[in-house]
Structure formats: structure tokens, C-alpha cells
Amino acid sequence: MADENESNLLIPKEHDDSSPKSFSKSFKVFAFCTLVLVTWDIGAFLTNTPRLRLYESNVCREYYSVHDPSYLDDHGNVLEKYCKIDAVQHDVAILFGWQALFDYIPGMNINSFQLA
């Protein structure tokens, strides 16, 4: 009799995963993760335009300080309309390309460790 009770204790009890309580909990976890990801993406998206303007302003200031300092105002800034020339936009594009490369390197390294 004792052997029968001990063997029953070792048998795992079956769980009903289709119960409404289990579905509700998994849906809450899914909804929370989705909300976090959407919030993160919106925040990352909203920083792109100001970052672009800062990079463009810095590159433009450097360009005109070397080539034509008359475009610089008293504070060393250049009007945005003068920053749309090809030489400045080329340097900004290269800067964003390097930034994208370095942004993706950690993700590529993490992915390669998972495959090994």
C-alpha cells in the first residue's frame, strides 16, 4: 500500500492549459510585452529627427568653417537651408551609415552566440 502511494506522488498531475484563467494570464503577458515594444519603438522613432538635425548642424558648421566662414553667425551656427548641399549631406549619410553598422553589431553578436 505504501509503495502505491509513493508512486502516485511521483506522477505529475495534468494541467488544463485551455482554462480561461490560463488564457487570461498569457494574454496579459502578451499585451504587456507588446505595449513595452511599441513604446520602445515610438521612443526610438521620435529621436531620429532631432538626432539628424544635430548631426547635420555639426557637419555643416565644420564644412563652412573651412570653406566659407561668412555663412557662420556670431555663435558659429549655420542656417539650415545652407546645410542641404551635397557635400554636407554626403558626410551626414556616411555618419548615419557608420552609426547603423555599430548599432547592429551587438545584435549580430548575440545572435551568433545563440546559433553556436
Side-chain angles (χ1 to χ4, degrees):
M1 191 65 117
D3 292 332
E4 194 173 310
N5 288 338
E6 288 178 9
S7 63
N8 286 340
L9 292 174
L10 297 175
I11 299 174
K13 295 181 182 177
E14 294 183 19
H15 296 287
D16 186 17
D17 290 336
S18 63
S19 68
K21 189 175 185 179
S22 173
F23 176 75
S24 174
K25 184 177 180 181
S26 62
F27 179 75
K28 287 179 183 177
V29 170
F30 173 75
F32 175 73
C33 291
T34 302
L35 180 67
V36 167
L37 287 173
V38 167
T39 304
W40 185 281
D41 284 344
I42 288 172
F45 177 74
L46 290 176
T47 62
N48 284 341
T49 304
R51 186 176 339 139
L52 172 64
R53 179 64 187 126
L54 285 171
Y55 290 168
E56 187 180 63
S57 176
N58 287 335
V59 170
C60 190
R61 185 181 314 124
E62 289 296 319
Y63 176 82
Y64 282 112
S65 67
V66 171
H67 292 88
D68 191 358
S70 66
Y71 283 96
L72 300 173
D73 65 5
D74 296 337
H75 301 289
N77 297 320
V78 180
L79 292 176
E80 186 176 2
K81 66 181 180 179
Y82 299 123
C83 297
K84 304 302 179 189
I85 62 172
D86 287 340
V88 171
Q89 294 300 313
H90 174 73
D91 289 347
V92 171
I94 288 176
L95 187 62
F96 263 86
W98 281 107
Q99 179 187 354
L101 172 72
F102 289 120
D103 284 347
Y104 293 130
I105 286 176
M108 291 186 299
N109 286 338
I110 289 172
N111 192 24
S112 66
F113 288 130
Q114 290 176 353
L115 295 176

Short mmCIF file of all heavy atoms in Angstrom, two decimals, residues 60-69 72:
data_model
loop_
_atom_site.label_atom_id
_atom_site.label_comp_id
_atom_site.label_asym_id
_atom_site.label_seq_id
_atom_site.Cartn_x
_atom_site.Cartn_y
_atom_site.Cartn_z
N CYS A 60 27.68 70.61 -40.99
CA CYS A 60 27.54 71.86 -41.73
C CYS A 60 28.46 72.95 -41.15
O CYS A 60 29.12 73.68 -41.89
CB CYS A 60 26.09 72.31 -41.70
SG CYS A 60 25.70 73.65 -42.80
N ARG A 61 28.48 73.03 -39.84
CA ARG A 61 29.34 74.02 -39.19
C ARG A 61 30.80 73.76 -39.52
O ARG A 61 31.56 74.69 -39.82
CB ARG A 61 29.13 73.98 -37.67
CG ARG A 61 29.89 75.07 -36.94
CD ARG A 61 29.70 75.01 -35.43
NE ARG A 61 28.32 74.84 -35.04
CZ ARG A 61 27.87 73.85 -34.26
NH1 ARG A 61 28.71 72.94 -33.80
NH2 ARG A 61 26.61 73.77 -33.93
N GLU A 62 31.21 72.52 -39.49
CA GLU A 62 32.60 72.18 -39.82
C GLU A 62 32.90 72.49 -41.29
O GLU A 62 33.97 73.00 -41.61
CB GLU A 62 32.86 70.69 -39.54
CG GLU A 62 32.91 70.35 -38.07
CD GLU A 62 34.05 71.01 -37.35
OE1 GLU A 62 35.17 71.08 -37.92
OE2 GLU A 62 33.83 71.49 -36.23
N TYR A 63 31.96 72.18 -42.16
CA TYR A 63 32.17 72.43 -43.59
C TYR A 63 32.36 73.91 -43.86
O TYR A 63 33.31 74.31 -44.54
CB TYR A 63 30.99 71.87 -44.39
CG TYR A 63 31.10 72.17 -45.87
CD1 TYR A 63 31.88 71.37 -46.70
CD2 TYR A 63 30.43 73.25 -46.43
CE1 TYR A 63 31.99 71.64 -48.06
CE2 TYR A 63 30.54 73.53 -47.79
CZ TYR A 63 31.32 72.73 -48.59
OH TYR A 63 31.44 73.00 -49.93
N TYR A 64 31.44 74.73 -43.33
CA TYR A 64 31.52 76.17 -43.63
C TYR A 64 32.63 76.87 -42.86
O TYR A 64 33.09 77.93 -43.29
CB TYR A 64 30.17 76.84 -43.38
CG TYR A 64 29.20 76.58 -44.51
CD1 TYR A 64 28.08 75.80 -44.32
CD2 TYR A 64 29.43 77.12 -45.77
CE1 TYR A 64 27.21 75.55 -45.35
CE2 TYR A 64 28.56 76.88 -46.82
CZ TYR A 64 27.45 76.09 -46.61
OH TYR A 64 26.58 75.84 -47.64
N SER A 65 33.07 76.32 -41.75
CA SER A 65 34.20 76.95 -41.06
C SER A 65 35.49 76.79 -41.87
O SER A 65 36.39 77.62 -41.78
CB SER A 65 34.37 76.36 -39.66
OG SER A 65 34.77 75.01 -39.72
N VAL A 66 35.55 75.76 -42.69
CA VAL A 66 36.73 75.54 -43.53
C VAL A 66 36.57 76.22 -44.89
O VAL A 66 37.49 76.89 -45.37
CB VAL A 66 36.98 74.02 -43.73
CG1 VAL A 66 38.07 73.77 -44.76
CG2 VAL A 66 37.33 73.37 -42.41
N HIS A 67 35.41 76.07 -45.53
CA HIS A 67 35.23 76.53 -46.91
C HIS A 67 34.76 77.97 -47.06
O HIS A 67 35.19 78.66 -47.98
CB HIS A 67 34.28 75.59 -47.65
CG HIS A 67 34.84 74.23 -47.87
ND1 HIS A 67 34.72 73.21 -46.95
CD2 HIS A 67 35.58 73.72 -48.89
CE1 HIS A 67 35.33 72.13 -47.39
NE2 HIS A 67 35.87 72.41 -48.57
N ASP A 68 33.83 78.41 -46.20
CA ASP A 68 33.33 79.78 -46.34
C ASP A 68 32.77 80.27 -45.00
O ASP A 68 31.58 80.14 -44.73
CB ASP A 68 32.23 79.83 -47.41
CG ASP A 68 31.86 81.26 -47.79
OD1 ASP A 68 32.43 82.20 -47.19
OD2 ASP A 68 31.00 81.42 -48.68
N PRO A 69 33.64 80.82 -44.15
CA PRO A 69 33.21 81.25 -42.81
C PRO A 69 32.18 82.37 -42.81
O PRO A 69 31.60 82.67 -41.77
CB PRO A 69 34.50 81.72 -42.15
CG PRO A 69 35.60 81.09 -42.93
CD PRO A 69 35.08 80.94 -44.32
N LEU A 72 28.75 81.53 -41.27
CA LEU A 72 28.62 81.34 -39.82
C LEU A 72 28.11 82.62 -39.16
O LEU A 72 28.56 83.70 -39.48
CB LEU A 72 29.96 80.96 -39.20
CG LEU A 72 30.61 79.66 -39.71
CD1 LEU A 72 32.02 79.51 -39.14
CD2 LEU A 72 29.76 78.47 -39.34
#
